Amino acid sequence: VLGDSEYLGTTTVNGSRLYSLGPFPQVSPDKDSPYPVTVEGYRASLDTARRLDRLEGYPSFYDRMLIDTEFGKAYIYFIEEHSSAEVTSGDWVKYLEARHRATS
C-alpha cells in the first residue's frame, strides 16, 4: 500500500502505549506512558492515505489522530481500549524478532 510513498525514517513518539493483537500491533493513547513508541514515517498521497484507511479498518476498527513527529504532523492509527499484551519495549519489530527467536 505504501509502495509509492516516500519513506521518511523511523522515530519515536510519546503519549502512547504499544500492545500486541497477535499478528499486528495496537497503539493506545496514554499521556502517562513511561516509554516511547517506535513508528515509521511516510509521505503518502491522498490516494494512498485512503487505501491505508481501508486497510486499517478506519474508522470502524482503528481510529486515527494527528500527532507531532520529528518529520512534522502525521496520522497514527490507534484503538482507545487496550489489550492485555503490552509491548513494553515500544518497538513492534524488535518484539516480533524476540518472539521469533524464542520459538525457533
Side-chain angles (χ1 to χ4, degrees):
V1 173
L2 290 167
D4 65 344
S5 301
E6 178 187 357
Y7 174 69
L8 302 175
T10 301
T11 190
T12 57
V13 296
N14 295 311
S16 296
R17 290 183 186 257
L18 183 64
Y19 297 91
S20 173
L21 292 178
F24 50 93
Q26 170 193 337
V27 171
S28 291
D30 182 348
K31 63 181 174 58
D32 298 322
S33 174
Y35 60 85
V37 172
T38 302
V39 297
E40 292 180 337
Y42 292 87
R43 182 169 287 115
S45 68
L46 188 54
D47 185 52
T48 297
R50 287 184 186 123
R51 289 194 312 267
L52 279 171
D53 281 349
R54 282 192 302 275
L55 175 71
E56 300 294 354
Y58 171 78
S60 59
F61 186 69
Y62 282 106
D63 201 348
R64 63 180 156 96
M65 65 181 163
L66 202 56
I67 61 169
D68 291 314
T69 74
E70 69 177 87
F71 311 117
K73 298 276 186 190
Y75 281 109
I76 189 168
Y77 291 93
F78 72 95
I79 298 173
E80 194 69 43
E81 292 81 29
H82 60 81
S83 74
S84 59
E86 186 171 5
V87 179
T88 57
S89 70
D91 190 313
W92 183 248
V93 172
K94 287 181 181 175
Y95 170 77
L96 289 179
E97 289 170 352
R99 201 168 80 173
H100 176 73
R101 281 192 305 273
T103 60
S104 295

